[in-house]
Amino acid sequence: MRAVLVEEYGVLPTVAEVAAPEPKPGGVVLKVEATGLCRSDWHGWMGHDLDIVLPHVPGHELAGTIAAVGPGVSGWQVGDRVTTPFICACGTCEQCLSGNQQVCPNQLQPGFNYWGSFATYVAIPYAGVNLVRLPDDLTFDTAAGLGCRFATSFRAVRQVGRVTADENVVIFGCGGVGLSAVMIAAALGARVIAVDTNPDALKLARTYGAADTVLASAETVAELRDLTGGGAHVTMDALGSNAIVQQALLALRPRGRHLQVGLLPSGVQLDVGRLIGQELEWLGSHGMPAHAYPEMLALVATGNLNPAALITRTITLDETPTALAALTNNTPAGITIIRP
């Protein structure tokens, strides 16, 4: 099969012919119909993830058709249209049995623990607990964008962040995660304020439901506190930046909640005194399990959520290495979909 192959961290990958995966017991192999280009893939390419072993194929948000079924798999057959969370949980541990597959200690992640979806085919382990059947009218492009950024934002905003109508919610960073969060929080009835350095990204945020936008500057915190009448109820770092974290915490009102979704490979400094004195909540959120997809898919089906609108670019596998490297300079607004 053809795949994007990383042979050295930070060096432009190549598109190469490599061996296709075989289905393992309990697992399946998918023909990749669409896969998303995510900033997490860039972190992996740069060597920020210790699970990656070179040579490596990135890619972790995907949709496709089942091409092969391994021993012990029931309920799924060749040709089924599916997607999967980027966290493939084992289904049998304490966390999985309590419904928290997103923090399964035995999890496997395509594109990190093993070769991912920037390829013609990708293996998915533990099929029984991780596959999600796609509605016939949901395109592969849209489904691929759900698996990491949109699903992560949905769970972060609705379940972890507990966002409710009429709350002031500030989203820092308007890439795929941030714009998804804008759309979801607005659909829940919150007043959403989007912050970014890119005016074009802020224009998109307006179209997806942001009531106000702020072009990031030294005055961001003061502007946010003014717009929210003393501070936001909820802030979210959708990019992953120590500087953003500081602004986000300062922009909260007392007893506010901060959602950390963006990765922080260089660490972060926290004003613990402010966390304590203002009774602020720091909330990490990591993906969403397959069993939680029906609520999200139902909202997509009714039109309350429109993740297809977040797709701003489609590229080929041959264009992917350059697009991955370009994330070093900036994160483009919206979601980029690769069609292998």
Side-chain angles (χ1 to χ4, degrees):
M1 70 175 183
R2 300 178 77 234
V4 173
L5 192 65
V6 176
E7 298 182 89
E8 187 175 347
Y9 293 125
V11 175
L12 193 69
T14 59
V15 178
E17 289 286 341
V18 300
E22 296 289 337
K24 295 183 178 179
V28 300
V29 170
L30 303 185
K31 182 181 183 296
V32 181
E33 304 290 352
T35 182
L37 177 66
C38 179
R39 190 159 189 84
S40 297
D41 301 312
W42 177 86
H43 281 292
W45 172 62
M46 290 296 291
H48 298 159
D49 194 303
L50 298 179
D51 291 327
I52 290 176
V53 177
L54 299 179
H56 183 69
V57 176
H60 64 284
E61 50 181 5
L62 59 111
T65 53
I66 296 178
V69 177
V73 174
S74 61
W76 300 98
Q77 61 186 2
V78 172
D80 285 347
R81 302 172 74 252
V82 298
T83 188
T84 180
F86 73 92
I87 299 164
C88 292
C90 73
T92 59
C93 70
E94 176 187 359
Q95 294 300 329
C96 285
L97 294 175
S98 67
N100 291 301
Q101 288 90 342
Q102 76 282 352
V103 290
C104 169
N106 306 314
Q107 66 185 253
L108 294 173
Q109 297 183 19
F112 297 98
N113 301 107
Y114 67 97
W115 283 15
S117 55
F118 290 2
T120 312
Y121 297 96
V122 64
I124 301 298
Y126 314 120
V129 72
N130 294 307
L131 291 184
V132 178
R133 196 177 302 277
L134 295 178
D136 291 338
D137 58 352
L138 190 69
T139 69
F140 286 118
D141 286 1
T142 302
L146 295 177
C148 173
R149 285 167 281 189
F150 201 85
T152 292
S153 294
F154 185 83
R155 183 171 175 275
V157 170
R158 183 168 178 80
Q159 299 172 6
V160 178
R162 312 184 303 279
V163 169
T164 60
D166 301 324
E167 287 190 309
N168 289 296
V169 178
V170 177
I171 309 296
F172 289 83
C174 292
V177 172
L179 289 175
S180 298
V182 167
M183 180 184 289
I184 293 160
L188 293 174
R191 177 171 176 260
V192 183
I193 303 170
V195 183
D196 203 284
T197 58
N198 183 348
D200 291 335
L202 294 177
K203 288 180 182 178
L204 282 176
R206 284 271 190 182
T207 67
Y208 301 147
D212 292 286
T213 59
V214 173
L215 189 64
S217 70
E219 304 303 318
T220 294
V221 172
E223 191 170 351
L224 290 172
R225 294 188 69 83
D226 182 59
L227 284 170
T228 58
H233 298 91
V234 179
T235 58
M236 176 174 169
D237 175 9
L239 179 63
S241 161
N242 181 64
I244 286 176
V245 169
Q246 309 315 314
Q247 291 182 324
L249 292 177
L250 289 171
L252 284 172
R253 66 180 62 204
R255 307 198 79 247
R257 308 177 311 271
H258 172 70
L259 284 164
Q260 189 62 42
V261 175
L263 300 177
L264 295 161
S266 299
V268 65
Q269 294 177 324
L270 294 179
D271 182 350
V272 177
R274 177 174 172 77
L275 286 175
I276 296 170
Q278 297 291 304
E279 291 193 356
L280 304 179
E281 293 184 60
W282 170 285
L283 301 166
S285 190
H286 186 236
M288 187 170 81
H291 71 76
Y293 271 57
E295 180 187 12
M296 179 179 68
L297 291 175
L299 291 171
V300 173
T302 60
N304 290 332
L305 295 175
N306 183 21
L310 298 171
I311 299 171
T312 53
R313 180 173 59 155
T314 58
I315 62 175
T316 66
L317 204 63
D318 291 308
E319 295 172 302
T320 301
T322 300
L324 178 65
L327 295 178
T328 300
N329 300 317
N330 63 74
T331 301
I335 291 177
T336 296
I337 293 295
I338 303 159
R339 295 175 180 165

